[in-house]
Amino acid sequence: YALSKAKLGEDALEAITALMEVATAYQDAGDVARAVPLYEQAATLAVKKFGPTHHQALAGRARLAGAYKADGN
C-alpha cells in the first residue's frame, strides 16, 4: 500500500485497492482489530474520490461490514 500511495497518491484506485487487500490479509490472519481501521480508511477514501455508488466504495463498505460482523459489532 505504501508504495502505491507514494507513487499514485492516497486516493488512486490502485492505492485504495491495495489498502483493502492489506486489510483483508489482516482479517484472514485473524487480526480483525488491525483490519477494521484499514477498511474504514479505504471505504472513506473510495467514497470521497469516486462517490458512494462506485464499485470500490461499495466493496470497501461491504468488507468493512464483514469485519465488523467478524469482530462481533
Side-chain angles (χ1 to χ4, degrees):
Y1 165 69
L3 183 59
S4 294
K5 179 180 167 183
K7 287 189 173 241
L8 303 170
E10 177 179 63
D11 63 351
L13 178 60
E14 295 83 355
I16 295 169
T17 300
L19 183 59
M20 284 203 297
E21 293 304 318
V22 171
T24 299
Y26 281 129
Q27 184 174 353
D28 289 350
D31 195 348
V32 178
R34 287 183 80 175
V36 166
L38 299 179
Y39 282 135
E40 290 173 339
Q41 182 182 0
T44 299
L45 288 169
V47 169
K48 182 178 175 184
K49 174 77 175 188
F50 304 112
T53 59
H54 187 271
H55 68 87
Q56 194 72 6
L58 296 172
R61 290 184 295 192
R63 289 186 187 190
L64 176 59
Y68 282 149
K69 184 177 179 183
D71 200 28
N73 292 321

